[in-house]
Amino acid sequence: MKNLPLLFAGIFFCLAFSFSGLILSSLIQYGHLEPVTEFVNDPNSGEQIPGAFVELDVDGDGKPDQLVAGVNQPDEQTFPIPSVGLAQQGKELYISMGCLYCHSQQVRRKGFGADFERGWGDRQTVPRDYILQQRVLLGTSRTGPDLMSIGMRQPSAEWHHLHLYNPQFTSPGSIMPPFRFLYETRKVGDTPSPDALNIPDNFPGEKPPAGYEIVPTDRAKQLVAYLMSLQLNYELPESRFSE
């Protein structure tokens, strides 16, 4: 018992070290980040320029000597954009089904992998891309393609539904399992559903029986809405398409 204070001190030190390393240091580095516009007003010329900061020539010698924050345009769209509505519901489904264990959501910089060559994004992702996410889904492995920009690469809802129902329809040779349980086979009503899947003709065994149709459930629509919301089509001051 005489070592009890030392034991408690050790436990306290471990907890404090972990808190400082994982939470406090991250908050100091990234806690100040906010959504920004792609362009700001240059107080020198009044023109819009890319970036969050502008250089000022304070002493009038023709050389910039001060870096100040630019002024965003009023009512201009800021980035990143948060997931809302159906897409947010789809994100919860994405998490619950474990999609993040096979798919990442981070584009590495040029020279650190083949993300650019594979067309997974036109720029690397940075901490600001994730500041509006309560749970960041960077992923744990890359068994499947990175999905940070899947909404740009595949902007068709029909493509996503076919891919979820049977990945072989759209991606022959894919090792991704089918998610048929997100779809319902039912009798055609007075008129066919506009959401009914159009099964490719080269998969005749997958077509529903005559008089039936395969339609997405609400959960399938939520998941597809989320996947289509994953777009990296904007620039940030610290990450440009040209870099």
Side-chain angles (χ1 to χ4, degrees):
M1 295 296 291
K2 64 180 181 181
N3 292 327
L4 194 58
L6 184 61
L7 176 62
F8 277 110
I11 294 174
F12 175 79
F13 176 78
C14 290
L15 293 176
F17 183 78
S18 300
F19 178 82
S20 300
L22 296 177
I23 299 178
L24 191 59
S25 62
S26 298
L27 186 63
I28 292 174
Q29 293 180 66
Y30 309 120
H32 65 285
L33 295 177
E34 296 180 349
V36 296
T37 60
E38 292 185 285
F39 298 91
V40 296
N41 284 338
D42 185 342
N44 295 312
S45 63
E47 298 178 349
Q48 281 193 296
I49 59 173
F53 297 92
V54 295
E55 295 177 330
L56 292 181
D57 178 14
V58 177
D59 53 15
D61 63 355
K63 298 179 181 179
D65 45 32
Q66 187 174 350
L67 195 65
V68 299
V71 179
N72 291 328
Q73 289 291 308
D75 302 325
E76 190 175 359
Q77 176 67 59
T78 58
F79 298 96
I81 300 175
S83 293
V84 296
L86 210 60
Q88 179 59 29
Q89 296 171 6
K91 180 176 182 178
E92 299 301 322
L93 187 62
Y94 180 94
I95 296 171
S96 67
M97 293 198 306
C99 303
L100 71 164
Y101 294 111
C102 290
H103 294 282
S104 58
Q105 291 186 25
Q106 55 175 320
V107 181
R108 294 169 292 189
R109 69 174 64 178
K110 288 181 179 178
F112 287 79
D115 297 7
F116 283 80
E117 290 76 7
R118 290 168 174 164
W120 289 350
D122 295 324
R123 66 170 177 83
Q124 72 170 99
T125 51
V126 292
R128 197 188 302 271
D129 286 305
Y130 307 97
I131 58 176
L132 299 182
Q133 300 183 24
Q134 290 187 338
R135 182 174 178 183
V136 177
L137 307 178
L138 295 179
T140 59
S141 67
R142 291 192 163 184
T143 306
D146 186 273
L147 299 183
M148 192 67 190
S149 65
I150 186 61
M152 297 171 58
R153 305 201 304 267
Q154 299 295 346
S156 165
E158 181 182 12
W159 185 95
H160 286 284
H161 282 301
L162 289 173
H163 186 68
L164 288 171
Y165 186 79
N166 186 347
Q168 303 305 318
F169 290 169
T170 57
S171 307
S174 171
I175 61 173
M176 176 175 147
F179 288 78
R180 289 191 177 89
F181 58 89
L182 295 176
Y183 296 84
E184 176 187 2
T185 301
R186 69 183 187 188
K187 282 188 174 181
V188 178
D190 295 335
T191 57
S193 170
D195 297 327
L197 300 191
N198 185 21
I199 305 297
D201 292 336
N202 54 335
F203 289 87
E206 296 280 4
K207 289 182 177 292
Y212 285 78
E213 60 185 1
I214 301 171
V215 295
T217 62
D218 289 342
R219 294 203 303 164
K221 294 179 181 178
Q222 293 166 2
L223 183 57
V224 168
Y226 173 63
L227 294 173
M228 293 181 66
S229 75
L230 298 176
Q231 302 194 18
L232 199 61
N233 56 356
Y234 59 90
E235 294 184 304
L236 294 175
E238 61 272 46
S239 181
R240 296 282 171 187
F241 292 143
S242 57
E243 297 174 348

